[in-house]
Amino acid sequence: MKQFTFDDLPNIIGKLFVKLDKIEKLLKARKIIDADKNEELLTIEGAAELLKLSVATIYTKVCKNEIPVNKQGKRLYFYRAELLDWIKSGRIKTNAEIQHEVELKFNSTKYK
């Protein structure tokens, strides 16, 4: 590695700022692209393709509240990020478990 003198510092710092600025721009651009991709809205066919499931299976999971879904009128929409988070979670709570948690929460705040 080359030895630098005190007189070289202003020039070196200037180059470092330029390089850092480029790196920041690249990271911000990548973050925006990733955010847009994760906020992508999918139809039921797109969700089925992403999850490698049939459309009928997706409808069944929606009816059983087993999968995150947004409904607008008669149409179902899925956010890519929510589906990926759902897959990563590995396990979805049943309606009975959710009800049990609500009851526990209600009982713990009831007596305060």
Side-chain angles (χ1 to χ4, degrees):
M1 185 169 184
K2 180 183 173 189
Q3 294 293 324
F4 297 104
T5 65
F6 184 76
D7 294 332
D8 295 330
L9 283 178
N11 188 27
I12 293 169
I13 291 174
K15 288 180 181 179
L16 283 174
F17 276 120
V18 170
K19 288 184 179 189
L20 275 175
D21 190 45
K22 288 179 183 178
I23 291 170
E24 283 179 339
K25 287 178 183 176
L26 287 171
L27 289 173
K28 285 179 183 177
R30 174 156 185 167
K31 194 174 191 177
I32 290 169
I33 291 169
D34 288 346
D36 289 345
K37 187 175 181 181
N38 283 335
E39 289 301 315
E40 180 182 358
L41 199 58
L42 303 172
T43 62
I44 194 156
E45 292 82 9
E49 184 178 330
L50 175 68
L51 299 174
K52 308 286 191 263
L53 298 171
S54 70
V55 172
T57 301
I58 300 292
Y59 276 119
T60 302
K61 290 188 175 300
V62 167
C63 288
K64 293 181 178 180
N65 292 324
E66 295 178 354
I67 191 169
V69 64
N70 298 285
K71 188 172 182 184
Q72 188 67 6
K74 292 183 179 182
R75 301 212 179 233
L76 300 177
Y77 297 100
F78 304 84
Y79 283 105
R80 186 179 205 284
E82 288 180 351
L83 293 177
L84 294 176
D85 289 342
W86 175 73
I87 292 169
K88 290 175 187 174
S89 71
R91 184 174 182 284
I92 301 301
K93 295 178 183 177
T94 64
N95 289 337
E97 290 171 331
I98 294 170
Q99 181 65 33
H100 180 69
E101 285 183 9
V102 169
E103 289 172 1
L104 286 176
K105 181 88 170 170
F106 179 76
N107 288 337
S108 68
T109 58
K110 185 177 180 180
Y111 298 108
K112 288 186 179 181

